[in-house]
Amino acid sequence: MTSRTFLLALDQGTSSSRSIVFDEAGRIVAMAQREFRQIYPQPGWVEHDPEEIWTSQLATAREALALAGLTARDIRAIGITNQRETTVVWNRRTGRPVHNAIVWQDRRAEPLCAQLREQGLEPTVRETTGLVIDAYFSGTKIRWILDHAPGAHLAAAQGELAFGTVDSWLLWKLTKGSVHATDVSNAARTMLFDVRHNRWDHGLLGALHVPDSLLPQVFPSSHVFGESDAEWLGAPVPIAGIAGDQQSALFGQACFRAGQAKNTYGTGCFMLMHTGERFRPSDNGLVTTSAAQPTATPEFAFEGSVFIGGAVVQWLRDGLKAIRASSEVQSLAESVPDAGGVMFVPAFTGLGAPYWQPEARGTIVGLTRGSTVAHIARAALESIAFQSAALLQAMSRDAVAAGGSPVTELRVDGGACVNDLLMQFQADLLGIPVLRPQVIETTALGAAYLAGLATGVWRNLDELAGQWQAQRRFEPTLPRDRAQELMDRWERAVRQATVA
Protein backbone atom coordinates (compact mmCIF):
# COMPACT_ATOMS: atom_id res chain seq x y z
CA MET A 1 0.00 0.00 0.00
CA THR A 2 2.73 2.48 0.92
CA SER A 3 4.32 2.29 -2.54
CA ARG A 4 1.68 4.91 -3.43
CA THR A 5 2.29 8.59 -2.75
CA PHE A 6 0.19 10.34 -0.10
CA LEU A 7 -0.42 13.98 0.85
CA LEU A 8 -2.03 15.34 4.01
CA ALA A 9 -4.33 18.37 3.69
CA LEU A 10 -5.18 20.37 6.82
CA ASP A 11 -8.51 22.12 6.15
CA GLN A 12 -9.05 24.58 8.99
CA GLY A 13 -12.57 26.01 8.67
CA THR A 14 -14.79 28.41 10.57
CA SER A 15 -16.69 25.80 12.57
CA SER A 16 -14.48 22.71 12.32
CA SER A 17 -10.98 21.45 11.63
CA ARG A 18 -10.58 18.65 9.12
CA SER A 19 -7.70 16.61 7.79
CA ILE A 20 -7.83 14.60 4.58
CA VAL A 21 -5.27 12.14 3.20
CA PHE A 22 -5.15 12.12 -0.62
CA ASP A 23 -3.25 9.82 -2.95
CA GLU A 24 -1.35 10.89 -6.06
CA ALA A 25 -4.51 10.50 -8.17
CA GLY A 26 -6.31 13.10 -6.01
CA ARG A 27 -8.55 10.47 -4.41
CA ILE A 28 -9.59 10.66 -0.74
CA VAL A 29 -7.97 7.90 1.34
CA ALA A 30 -9.16 8.98 4.82
CA MET A 31 -10.78 11.97 6.50
CA ALA A 32 -11.27 13.19 10.09
CA GLN A 33 -13.18 16.22 11.39
CA ARG A 34 -13.74 17.96 14.73
CA GLU A 35 -15.88 20.95 15.60
CA PHE A 36 -14.68 23.61 18.03
CA ARG A 37 -16.28 26.40 20.05
CA GLN A 38 -17.73 29.57 18.57
CA ILE A 39 -17.38 32.47 21.03
CA TYR A 40 -19.83 35.40 20.86
CA PRO A 41 -18.78 38.03 23.44
CA GLN A 42 -21.49 40.46 22.26
CA PRO A 43 -23.70 41.00 19.20
CA GLY A 44 -21.67 41.26 15.99
CA TRP A 45 -18.53 39.84 17.63
CA VAL A 46 -17.20 36.35 16.82
CA GLU A 47 -14.06 34.82 18.32
CA HIS A 48 -12.17 31.50 18.37
CA ASP A 49 -9.63 30.20 20.87
CA PRO A 50 -6.42 29.83 18.78
CA GLU A 51 -5.23 26.98 21.02
CA GLU A 52 -8.48 25.09 20.31
CA ILE A 53 -7.95 25.63 16.58
CA TRP A 54 -4.47 24.12 16.94
CA THR A 55 -5.40 21.16 19.15
CA SER A 56 -8.45 20.24 17.02
CA GLN A 57 -6.41 20.45 13.83
CA LEU A 58 -3.58 18.32 15.23
CA ALA A 59 -6.06 15.73 16.54
CA THR A 60 -7.69 15.36 13.10
CA ALA A 61 -4.29 15.03 11.39
CA ARG A 62 -3.34 12.17 13.71
CA GLU A 63 -6.77 10.58 13.32
CA ALA A 64 -6.72 10.77 9.49
CA LEU A 65 -3.29 9.09 9.40
CA ALA A 66 -4.53 6.34 11.72
CA LEU A 67 -7.69 5.80 9.62
CA ALA A 68 -5.53 5.56 6.48
CA GLY A 69 -3.20 3.06 8.16
CA LEU A 70 -0.26 5.36 7.48
CA THR A 71 2.54 7.01 9.46
CA ALA A 72 4.09 10.44 8.93
CA ARG A 73 6.92 8.78 6.98
CA ASP A 74 4.36 7.76 4.32
CA ILE A 75 3.32 11.39 3.73
CA ARG A 76 5.20 13.29 1.04
CA ALA A 77 4.01 16.72 2.16
CA ILE A 78 1.41 18.70 4.12
CA GLY A 79 -0.83 21.37 2.57
CA ILE A 80 -2.76 23.91 4.65
CA THR A 81 -5.99 25.68 3.69
CA ASN A 82 -7.84 27.91 6.09
CA GLN A 83 -10.70 30.23 6.96
CA ARG A 84 -9.47 33.55 5.64
CA GLU A 85 -9.14 36.96 7.37
CA THR A 86 -9.46 35.44 10.88
CA THR A 87 -6.75 37.18 12.89
CA VAL A 88 -4.36 35.85 15.55
CA VAL A 89 -1.71 37.86 17.42
CA TRP A 90 0.68 36.00 19.71
CA ASN A 91 3.85 36.47 21.76
CA ARG A 92 6.90 35.24 19.87
CA ARG A 93 8.71 34.09 23.02
CA THR A 94 5.90 32.26 24.82
CA GLY A 95 3.89 31.31 21.71
CA ARG A 96 0.72 32.36 23.52
CA PRO A 97 -2.01 34.44 21.87
CA VAL A 98 -2.52 37.88 23.41
CA HIS A 99 -6.25 37.72 22.60
CA ASN A 100 -8.74 35.28 21.12
CA ALA A 101 -8.71 35.06 17.34
CA ILE A 102 -11.08 37.60 15.78
CA VAL A 103 -13.10 35.73 13.15
CA TRP A 104 -13.71 36.94 9.59
CA GLN A 105 -17.44 37.42 10.33
CA ASP A 106 -16.71 39.81 13.23
CA ARG A 107 -17.89 43.42 12.79
CA ARG A 108 -16.27 45.18 15.78
CA ALA A 109 -13.77 47.09 13.63
CA GLU A 110 -16.46 48.88 11.58
CA PRO A 111 -15.98 52.24 13.44
CA LEU A 112 -12.28 52.16 12.49
CA CYS A 113 -13.24 51.35 8.89
CA ALA A 114 -15.57 54.37 8.87
CA GLN A 115 -12.63 56.56 10.01
CA LEU A 116 -10.43 55.23 7.20
CA ARG A 117 -13.17 55.94 4.65
CA GLU A 118 -13.57 59.48 6.02
CA GLN A 119 -9.80 59.95 5.62
CA GLY A 120 -10.26 59.21 1.90
CA LEU A 121 -8.30 55.94 1.93
CA GLU A 122 -10.85 53.89 -0.08
CA PRO A 123 -9.27 54.53 -3.54
CA THR A 124 -5.77 53.70 -2.22
CA VAL A 125 -6.98 50.45 -0.64
CA ARG A 126 -8.80 49.48 -3.82
CA GLU A 127 -5.86 50.22 -6.12
CA THR A 128 -3.25 48.60 -3.86
CA THR A 129 -5.06 45.58 -2.42
CA GLY A 130 -8.01 45.05 -4.79
CA LEU A 131 -10.32 45.13 -1.75
CA VAL A 132 -12.78 47.59 -0.23
CA ILE A 133 -12.41 49.02 3.28
CA ASP A 134 -14.39 46.60 5.41
CA ALA A 135 -14.22 45.01 8.87
CA TYR A 136 -14.25 41.63 7.07
CA PHE A 137 -10.51 41.92 6.32
CA SER A 138 -7.65 41.39 8.78
CA GLY A 139 -5.99 44.82 8.93
CA THR A 140 -8.50 46.55 11.18
CA LYS A 141 -8.80 43.40 13.35
CA ILE A 142 -5.03 43.58 14.04
CA ARG A 143 -5.37 47.23 15.02
CA TRP A 144 -8.29 46.40 17.35
CA ILE A 145 -6.23 43.73 19.16
CA LEU A 146 -3.27 46.11 19.52
CA ASP A 147 -5.62 48.77 20.94
CA HIS A 148 -7.34 46.42 23.41
CA ALA A 149 -4.91 43.69 24.53
CA PRO A 150 -2.96 44.99 27.58
CA GLY A 151 0.50 46.24 26.61
CA ALA A 152 0.10 45.07 23.00
CA HIS A 153 1.13 48.32 21.25
CA LEU A 154 4.37 48.54 23.22
CA ALA A 155 5.14 44.82 22.81
CA ALA A 156 4.47 45.08 19.06
CA ALA A 157 6.71 48.15 18.74
CA GLN A 158 9.48 46.17 20.46
CA GLY A 159 9.10 43.27 18.02
CA GLU A 160 7.75 40.85 20.63
CA LEU A 161 4.48 39.99 18.88
CA ALA A 162 3.57 38.11 15.71
CA PHE A 163 0.43 38.39 13.57
CA GLY A 164 -0.94 35.68 11.37
CA THR A 165 -4.04 34.45 9.66
CA VAL A 166 -4.90 30.89 10.71
CA ASP A 167 -2.46 29.32 8.24
CA SER A 168 0.45 31.25 9.81
CA TRP A 169 -0.65 30.22 13.29
CA LEU A 170 -0.76 26.53 12.33
CA LEU A 171 2.59 26.82 10.51
CA TRP A 172 4.15 28.42 13.61
CA LYS A 173 2.77 25.69 15.86
CA LEU A 174 3.71 22.83 13.52
CA THR A 175 7.30 24.10 13.27
CA LYS A 176 7.49 24.97 17.01
CA GLY A 177 8.01 28.65 16.24
CA SER A 178 10.79 28.28 13.68
CA VAL A 179 8.71 29.56 10.72
CA HIS A 180 6.58 32.71 10.66
CA ALA A 181 5.20 32.89 7.13
CA THR A 182 2.09 32.92 4.94
CA ASP A 183 1.24 32.70 1.26
CA VAL A 184 0.12 35.41 -1.14
CA SER A 185 -3.55 34.34 -1.16
CA ASN A 186 -3.89 34.85 2.60
CA ALA A 187 -1.74 38.00 2.68
CA ALA A 188 -4.05 39.43 0.00
CA ARG A 189 -6.99 39.30 2.46
CA THR A 190 -5.39 41.54 5.11
CA MET A 191 -6.05 44.94 3.46
CA LEU A 192 -2.30 45.59 4.01
CA PHE A 193 -0.78 43.79 1.00
CA ASP A 194 0.20 45.21 -2.39
CA VAL A 195 -1.12 42.44 -4.63
CA ARG A 196 0.48 43.81 -7.81
CA HIS A 197 3.99 43.45 -6.38
CA ASN A 198 3.40 40.76 -3.69
CA ARG A 199 4.71 42.81 -0.76
CA TRP A 200 3.41 44.47 2.37
CA ASP A 201 2.41 48.10 1.77
CA HIS A 202 4.09 50.54 4.16
CA GLY A 203 1.59 53.31 3.49
CA LEU A 204 -1.33 51.15 4.61
CA LEU A 205 0.64 49.79 7.58
CA GLY A 206 1.29 53.40 8.64
CA ALA A 207 -2.36 54.37 8.23
CA LEU A 208 -3.39 51.51 10.55
CA HIS A 209 -0.44 51.92 12.97
CA VAL A 210 0.59 48.28 12.46
CA PRO A 211 4.37 47.74 12.86
CA ASP A 212 5.92 45.63 10.10
CA SER A 213 7.75 43.54 12.75
CA LEU A 214 4.38 41.81 13.37
CA LEU A 215 4.09 40.49 9.85
CA PRO A 216 4.88 37.05 8.42
CA GLN A 217 7.12 36.49 5.42
CA VAL A 218 5.11 35.98 2.23
CA PHE A 219 5.84 33.18 -0.25
CA PRO A 220 4.09 31.62 -3.27
CA SER A 221 1.27 29.22 -2.37
CA SER A 222 3.28 26.23 -3.61
CA HIS A 223 6.52 26.45 -1.61
CA VAL A 224 8.37 24.38 0.99
CA PHE A 225 7.72 26.60 4.03
CA GLY A 226 9.42 24.29 6.55
CA GLU A 227 8.98 20.94 8.28
CA SER A 228 6.58 19.87 10.99
CA ASP A 229 8.31 18.97 14.24
CA ALA A 230 8.63 15.21 14.72
CA GLU A 231 6.73 15.42 18.04
CA TRP A 232 3.42 16.19 16.35
CA LEU A 233 2.98 13.35 13.83
CA GLY A 234 5.87 11.01 14.68
CA ALA A 235 8.31 12.20 12.00
CA PRO A 236 9.05 15.52 10.27
CA VAL A 237 6.96 16.23 7.16
CA PRO A 238 7.52 19.11 4.69
CA ILE A 239 4.81 21.78 4.77
CA ALA A 240 4.72 22.68 1.10
CA GLY A 241 1.39 24.29 0.22
CA ILE A 242 -0.74 27.06 1.76
CA ALA A 243 -3.81 28.87 0.38
CA GLY A 244 -6.91 30.57 1.75
CA ASP A 245 -9.96 28.34 1.44
CA GLN A 246 -11.65 29.97 -1.55
CA GLN A 247 -8.44 30.31 -3.58
CA SER A 248 -7.59 26.73 -2.65
CA ALA A 249 -10.99 25.58 -3.96
CA LEU A 250 -10.34 27.46 -7.23
CA PHE A 251 -7.02 25.60 -7.51
CA GLY A 252 -8.57 22.26 -6.51
CA GLN A 253 -11.13 22.77 -9.31
CA ALA A 254 -8.20 23.08 -11.76
CA CYS A 255 -9.25 26.64 -12.66
CA PHE A 256 -5.71 27.69 -13.55
CA ARG A 257 -6.40 30.00 -16.49
CA ALA A 258 -8.19 33.29 -17.11
CA GLY A 259 -11.94 32.87 -17.60
CA GLN A 260 -12.31 29.67 -15.55
CA ALA A 261 -14.70 29.99 -12.59
CA LYS A 262 -15.95 28.02 -9.61
CA ASN A 263 -18.76 28.53 -7.11
CA THR A 264 -18.74 27.05 -3.62
CA TYR A 265 -22.26 26.47 -2.25
CA GLY A 266 -21.99 26.51 1.53
CA THR A 267 -23.71 28.58 4.21
CA GLY A 268 -22.96 31.43 1.84
CA CYS A 269 -21.69 31.17 -1.73
CA PHE A 270 -18.22 32.18 -2.86
CA MET A 271 -17.59 32.58 -6.57
CA LEU A 272 -14.11 33.14 -7.98
CA MET A 273 -13.04 33.61 -11.59
CA HIS A 274 -9.39 33.38 -12.55
CA THR A 275 -8.35 36.56 -14.39
CA GLY A 276 -4.73 35.73 -15.28
CA GLU A 277 -1.60 37.75 -14.51
CA ARG A 278 -3.01 41.26 -14.97
CA PHE A 279 -4.49 43.18 -12.04
CA ARG A 280 -7.94 44.55 -12.87
CA PRO A 281 -10.29 46.31 -10.45
CA SER A 282 -13.93 45.33 -10.90
CA ASP A 283 -16.48 47.83 -12.17
CA ASN A 284 -19.35 45.56 -11.14
CA GLY A 285 -19.26 45.22 -7.36
CA LEU A 286 -16.62 42.46 -7.01
CA VAL A 287 -13.25 42.44 -5.27
CA THR A 288 -9.97 41.57 -6.97
CA THR A 289 -7.88 39.11 -4.99
CA SER A 290 -4.68 37.13 -5.41
CA ALA A 291 -5.26 33.60 -6.69
CA ALA A 292 -3.27 30.70 -5.24
CA GLN A 293 0.10 31.13 -6.95
CA PRO A 294 2.33 28.18 -7.86
CA THR A 295 5.25 30.53 -8.65
CA ALA A 296 6.40 34.05 -7.75
CA THR A 297 4.37 35.48 -10.65
CA PRO A 298 1.25 37.31 -9.39
CA GLU A 299 -2.07 35.80 -10.52
CA PHE A 300 -5.49 37.25 -9.80
CA ALA A 301 -9.16 36.40 -9.48
CA PHE A 302 -12.43 38.30 -9.23
CA GLU A 303 -14.39 37.26 -6.15
CA GLY A 304 -17.96 37.76 -5.08
CA SER A 305 -19.73 36.57 -1.95
CA VAL A 306 -23.38 35.67 -1.39
CA PHE A 307 -24.11 36.00 2.33
CA ILE A 308 -27.08 33.62 2.49
CA GLY A 309 -26.76 30.48 0.35
CA GLY A 310 -27.42 27.16 2.03
CA ALA A 311 -28.37 29.10 5.17
CA VAL A 312 -31.77 29.77 3.57
CA VAL A 313 -32.47 26.02 3.85
CA GLN A 314 -31.57 26.17 7.56
CA TRP A 315 -34.11 28.99 7.93
CA LEU A 316 -36.80 26.87 6.25
CA ARG A 317 -36.00 24.18 8.85
CA ASP A 318 -35.44 26.23 12.01
CA GLY A 319 -37.38 29.45 11.37
CA LEU A 320 -40.35 28.50 9.22
CA LYS A 321 -40.42 24.84 10.44
CA ALA A 322 -41.29 23.87 6.85
CA ILE A 323 -38.96 20.85 6.93
CA ARG A 324 -37.51 18.70 9.70
CA ALA A 325 -34.13 18.09 8.04
CA SER A 326 -32.25 20.02 5.34
CA SER A 327 -32.19 16.89 3.17
CA GLU A 328 -35.98 17.14 2.76
CA VAL A 329 -35.88 20.42 0.84
CA GLN A 330 -35.32 18.93 -2.62
CA SER A 331 -38.33 16.60 -2.47
CA LEU A 332 -40.56 19.39 -1.09
CA ALA A 333 -39.40 21.78 -3.83
CA GLU A 334 -39.88 19.11 -6.51
CA SER A 335 -43.49 18.51 -5.39
CA VAL A 336 -44.45 21.59 -7.44
CA PRO A 337 -43.48 22.16 -11.11
CA ASP A 338 -42.12 25.67 -10.42
CA ALA A 339 -42.18 28.41 -7.77
CA GLY A 340 -45.63 29.59 -8.92
CA GLY A 341 -44.47 33.19 -9.35
CA VAL A 342 -42.98 33.36 -5.82
CA MET A 343 -39.60 35.12 -5.45
CA PHE A 344 -37.62 34.87 -2.22
CA VAL A 345 -34.77 37.33 -1.56
CA PRO A 346 -32.99 35.91 1.54
CA ALA A 347 -31.37 39.20 2.62
CA PHE A 348 -31.36 38.23 6.31
CA THR A 349 -28.05 40.08 6.83
CA GLY A 350 -28.22 42.43 3.85
CA LEU A 351 -27.07 41.60 0.32
CA GLY A 352 -23.45 40.99 -0.67
CA ALA A 353 -21.89 41.23 -4.13
CA PRO A 354 -22.75 42.57 -6.60
CA TYR A 355 -25.42 44.62 -4.76
CA TRP A 356 -23.69 45.65 -1.51
CA GLN A 357 -26.96 46.60 0.21
CA PRO A 358 -26.38 46.10 3.96
CA GLU A 359 -29.80 47.54 4.81
CA ALA A 360 -31.72 45.03 2.62
CA ARG A 361 -33.91 42.53 4.46
CA GLY A 362 -35.44 39.17 3.61
CA THR A 363 -38.42 39.52 1.29
CA ILE A 364 -40.93 37.11 -0.29
CA VAL A 365 -42.93 38.51 -3.20
CA GLY A 366 -45.44 37.11 -5.67
CA LEU A 367 -47.62 35.28 -3.13
CA THR A 368 -51.18 34.33 -4.14
CA ARG A 369 -53.93 32.26 -2.51
CA GLY A 370 -52.53 29.31 -4.45
CA SER A 371 -49.04 29.63 -2.94
CA THR A 372 -47.98 26.79 -0.65
CA VAL A 373 -45.01 26.03 1.55
CA ALA A 374 -43.65 23.95 -1.36
CA HIS A 375 -43.61 27.05 -3.59
CA ILE A 376 -41.75 28.97 -0.88
CA ALA A 377 -39.26 26.09 -0.50
CA ARG A 378 -38.67 26.04 -4.25
CA ALA A 379 -38.26 29.84 -4.32
CA ALA A 380 -35.79 29.57 -1.42
CA LEU A 381 -33.66 27.03 -3.32
CA GLU A 382 -33.90 29.09 -6.49
CA SER A 383 -32.73 32.19 -4.59
CA ILE A 384 -29.29 30.57 -4.22
CA ALA A 385 -29.09 30.19 -8.00
CA PHE A 386 -30.43 33.71 -8.70
CA GLN A 387 -27.82 35.32 -6.43
CA SER A 388 -25.04 33.23 -7.97
CA ALA A 389 -26.24 34.07 -11.50
CA ALA A 390 -26.10 37.79 -10.68
CA LEU A 391 -22.50 37.29 -9.51
CA LEU A 392 -21.46 35.41 -12.63
CA GLN A 393 -23.07 38.01 -14.89
CA ALA A 394 -21.09 40.73 -13.07
CA MET A 395 -17.89 38.72 -13.56
CA SER A 396 -18.58 38.21 -17.25
CA ARG A 397 -19.21 41.96 -17.71
CA ASP A 398 -15.85 42.69 -16.04
CA ALA A 399 -14.10 40.05 -18.17
CA VAL A 400 -15.56 41.34 -21.46
CA ALA A 401 -14.75 44.98 -20.54
CA ALA A 402 -11.12 43.90 -20.02
CA GLY A 403 -10.97 42.28 -23.46
CA GLY A 404 -11.61 38.72 -22.29
CA SER A 405 -14.48 36.31 -22.86
CA PRO A 406 -17.56 35.56 -20.76
CA VAL A 407 -17.40 32.45 -18.58
CA THR A 408 -18.26 29.34 -20.63
CA GLU A 409 -18.81 26.84 -17.80
CA LEU A 410 -19.12 26.90 -14.00
CA ARG A 411 -17.45 24.32 -11.76
CA VAL A 412 -19.24 23.79 -8.46
CA ASP A 413 -18.46 22.41 -5.01
CA GLY A 414 -19.63 22.73 -1.39
CA GLY A 415 -22.44 20.99 0.46
CA ALA A 416 -25.40 22.31 -1.56
CA CYS A 417 -23.89 21.33 -4.92
CA VAL A 418 -25.23 17.80 -4.35
CA ASN A 419 -28.76 19.19 -4.88
CA ASP A 420 -29.58 18.25 -8.48
CA LEU A 421 -32.61 20.55 -8.70
CA LEU A 422 -30.51 23.56 -7.65
CA MET A 423 -27.66 22.72 -10.05
CA GLN A 424 -30.03 22.26 -13.00
CA PHE A 425 -31.76 25.57 -12.27
CA GLN A 426 -28.32 27.22 -12.00
CA ALA A 427 -27.39 25.95 -15.47
CA ASP A 428 -30.78 27.09 -16.83
CA LEU A 429 -30.34 30.63 -15.50
CA LEU A 430 -26.75 30.96 -16.68
CA GLY A 431 -27.15 29.35 -20.08
CA ILE A 432 -23.84 27.52 -19.64
CA PRO A 433 -22.99 24.01 -18.35
CA VAL A 434 -22.60 23.52 -14.59
CA LEU A 435 -20.01 20.85 -13.76
CA ARG A 436 -19.92 18.93 -10.46
CA PRO A 437 -16.57 17.15 -9.93
CA GLN A 438 -15.89 13.62 -8.74
CA VAL A 439 -14.16 15.04 -5.65
CA ILE A 440 -16.24 17.83 -4.11
CA GLU A 441 -13.71 18.35 -1.26
CA THR A 442 -11.94 20.76 -3.59
CA THR A 443 -10.70 23.12 -0.85
CA ALA A 444 -8.57 20.41 0.76
CA LEU A 445 -7.65 18.99 -2.65
CA GLY A 446 -6.27 22.39 -3.70
CA ALA A 447 -3.96 22.45 -0.66
CA ALA A 448 -2.79 18.91 -1.47
CA TYR A 449 -2.15 19.89 -5.10
CA LEU A 450 -0.08 22.92 -4.05
CA ALA A 451 1.99 20.79 -1.63
CA GLY A 452 2.46 18.05 -4.22
CA LEU A 453 3.61 20.51 -6.88
CA ALA A 454 6.30 21.88 -4.56
CA THR A 455 7.61 18.40 -3.73
CA GLY A 456 7.57 16.82 -7.19
CA VAL A 457 4.47 14.62 -6.87
CA TRP A 458 3.14 16.38 -9.96
CA ARG A 459 5.28 18.07 -12.58
CA ASN A 460 3.01 20.86 -13.76
CA LEU A 461 -0.50 22.30 -13.93
CA ASP A 462 -1.36 20.35 -17.08
CA GLU A 463 -0.87 17.11 -15.15
CA LEU A 464 -3.27 18.36 -12.45
CA ALA A 465 -5.79 19.62 -15.01
CA GLY A 466 -5.80 16.12 -16.50
CA GLN A 467 -6.86 14.67 -13.13
CA TRP A 468 -10.02 16.79 -12.86
CA GLN A 469 -13.13 14.76 -13.67
CA ALA A 470 -16.79 15.72 -13.75
CA GLN A 471 -19.16 13.50 -11.79
CA ARG A 472 -22.16 15.16 -13.49
CA ARG A 473 -22.67 17.83 -16.11
CA PHE A 474 -25.86 19.93 -15.99
CA GLU A 475 -26.72 21.37 -19.41
CA PRO A 476 -29.06 24.39 -19.70
CA THR A 477 -32.54 23.50 -20.99
CA LEU A 478 -34.40 26.78 -20.49
CA PRO A 479 -34.87 29.12 -23.51
CA ARG A 480 -32.66 32.22 -23.05
CA ASP A 481 -35.58 34.66 -23.27
CA ARG A 482 -37.33 32.80 -20.42
CA ALA A 483 -34.12 32.81 -18.33
CA GLN A 484 -33.74 36.57 -18.91
CA GLU A 485 -37.38 37.11 -17.91
CA LEU A 486 -36.71 35.25 -14.62
CA MET A 487 -33.56 37.30 -13.95
CA ASP A 488 -35.51 40.52 -14.60
CA ARG A 489 -38.14 39.40 -12.08
CA TRP A 490 -35.37 38.58 -9.59
CA GLU A 491 -33.87 42.06 -9.96
CA ARG A 492 -37.31 43.61 -9.36
CA ALA A 493 -37.64 41.54 -6.18
CA VAL A 494 -34.19 42.71 -5.06
CA ARG A 495 -35.26 46.33 -5.53
CA GLN A 496 -38.30 45.64 -3.32
CA ALA A 497 -36.00 44.15 -0.66
CA THR A 498 -33.83 47.26 -0.64
CA VAL A 499 -36.51 49.93 -0.26
CA ALA A 500 -35.39 52.03 2.71
Side-chain angles (χ1 to χ4, degrees), residues 468-497:
W468 190 92
Q469 287 183 303
Q471 178 261 331
R472 182 157 173 191
R473 182 183 179 96
F474 297 87
E475 294 283 353
T477 57
L478 202 64
R480 294 314 303 144
D481 56 348
R482 174 62 180 152
Q484 187 56 53
E485 185 186 322
L486 287 172
M487 284 304 298
D488 290 344
R489 287 185 53 227
W490 165 257
E491 294 296 342
R492 278 201 302 278
V494 166
R495 287 194 291 276
Q496 287 175 266

Side-chain angles (χ1 to χ4, degrees), residues 122-142:
E122 186 88 60
T124 303
V125 167
R126 193 169 167 74
E127 281 299 311
T128 306
T129 71
L131 308 176
V132 295
I133 294 177
D134 195 273
Y136 177 23
F137 304 112
S138 310
T140 52
K141 299 181 197 299
I142 302 171

Side-chain angles (χ1 to χ4, degrees), residues 328-338 374 377-378 381 419-422:
E328 295 173 12
V329 71
Q330 181 163 337
S331 57
L332 178 60
E334 283 180 331
S335 69
V336 288
D338 53 46
R378 187 160 185 132
L381 263 191
N419 189 303
D420 292 348
L421 176 69
L422 173 59

Side-chain angles (χ1 to χ4, degrees), residues 345-482:
V345 182
F348 302 145
T349 54
L351 287 170
Y355 306 107
W356 297 113
Q357 297 280 355
E359 75 285 355
R361 287 298 172 261
T363 305
I364 301 174
V365 300
L367 293 171
T368 67
R369 279 293 299 271
S371 301
T372 67
V373 71
H375 292 107
I376 293 171
R378 187 160 185 132
L381 263 191
E382 290 180 351
S383 75
I384 303 171
F386 277 121
Q387 292 177 96
S388 296
L391 269 185
L392 195 79
Q393 288 177 355
M395 284 183 178
S396 288
R397 286 195 296 274
D398 276 329
V400 170
S405 303
V407 177
T408 56
E409 66 178 31
L410 181 65
R411 297 184 175 188
V412 298
D413 53 60
C417 86
V418 301
N419 189 303
D420 292 348
L421 176 69
L422 173 59
M423 293 301 101
Q424 183 58 55
F425 188 65
Q426 188 72 84
D428 287 342
L429 281 182
L430 294 173
I432 58 175
V434 166
L435 279 63
R436 185 168 63 205
Q438 290 279 5
V439 178
I440 63 170
E441 298 292 351
T442 53
T443 303
L445 182 59
Y449 278 169
L450 290 163
L453 270 181
T455 53
V457 176
W458 299 288
R459 288 166 306 194
N460 53 43
L461 297 181
D462 289 341
E463 204 173 329
L464 291 178
Q467 283 199 357
W468 190 92
Q469 287 183 303
Q471 178 261 331
R472 182 157 173 191
R473 182 183 179 96
F474 297 87
E475 294 283 353
T477 57
L478 202 64
R480 294 314 303 144
D481 56 348
R482 174 62 180 152

Side-chain angles (χ1 to χ4, degrees), residues 165-395:
T165 41
V166 169
D167 59 299
S168 295
W169 170 243
L170 292 177
L171 183 61
W172 173 278
K173 297 294 278 186
L174 284 165
T175 61
K176 287 198 171 173
S178 66
V179 182
H180 181 213
T182 189
D183 90 299
V184 288
S185 71
N186 278 293
R189 310 299 294 187
T190 60
M191 220 171 72
L192 300 171
F193 192 67
D194 178 347
V195 295
R196 297 168 191 253
H197 304 102
N198 281 349
R199 64 190 181 207
W200 298 111
D201 185 83
H202 287 283
L204 292 173
L205 289 168
L208 276 162
H209 303 290
V210 172
D212 58 8
S213 62
L214 273 177
L215 303 172
Q217 276 188 280
V218 184
F219 295 102
S221 311
S222 182
H223 171 81
V224 180
F225 292 83
E227 281 189 336
S228 63
D229 190 273
E231 178 188 343
W232 304 129
L233 299 174
V237 183
I239 301 157
I242 292 178
D245 53 9
Q246 299 309 322
Q247 290 100 326
S248 191
L250 188 71
F251 202 84
Q253 286 275 30
C255 295
F256 303 137
R257 292 180 177 80
Q260 291 183 298
K262 71 90 195 175
N263 196 22
T264 298
Y265 296 82
T267 304
C269 295
F270 293 89
M271 188 178 289
L272 272 75
M273 180 180 76
H274 204 295
T275 57
E277 295 178 6
R278 207 171 111 226
F279 176 89
R280 300 186 188 99
S282 167
D283 295 321
N284 290 282
L286 309 171
V287 298
T288 303
T289 196
S290 295
Q293 295 170 14
T295 68
T297 303
E299 295 181 33
F300 302 100
F302 285 139
E303 177 174 333
S305 306
V306 169
F307 295 155
I308 302 293
V312 74
V313 178
Q314 295 168 340
W315 179 80
L316 286 176
R317 182 193 65 200
D318 304 333
L320 201 59
K321 310 288 188 190
I323 51 176
R324 284 169 301 181
S326 297
S327 55
E328 295 173 12
V329 71
Q330 181 163 337
S331 57
L332 178 60
E334 283 180 331
S335 69
V336 288
D338 53 46
V342 177
M343 282 276 173
F344 187 163
V345 182
F348 302 145
T349 54
L351 287 170
Y355 306 107
W356 297 113
Q357 297 280 355
E359 75 285 355
R361 287 298 172 261
T363 305
I364 301 174
V365 300
L367 293 171
T368 67
R369 279 293 299 271
S371 301
T372 67
V373 71
H375 292 107
I376 293 171
R378 187 160 185 132
L381 263 191
E382 290 180 351
S383 75
I384 303 171
F386 277 121
Q387 292 177 96
S388 296
L391 269 185
L392 195 79
Q393 288 177 355
M395 284 183 178

Side-chain angles (χ1 to χ4, degrees), residues 44-60:
W45 292 26
V46 192
E47 296 178 359
H48 292 155
D49 179 344
E51 295 291 356
E52 275 187 50
I53 288 176
W54 159 243
T55 55
S56 63
Q57 190 66 70
L58 179 62
T60 63

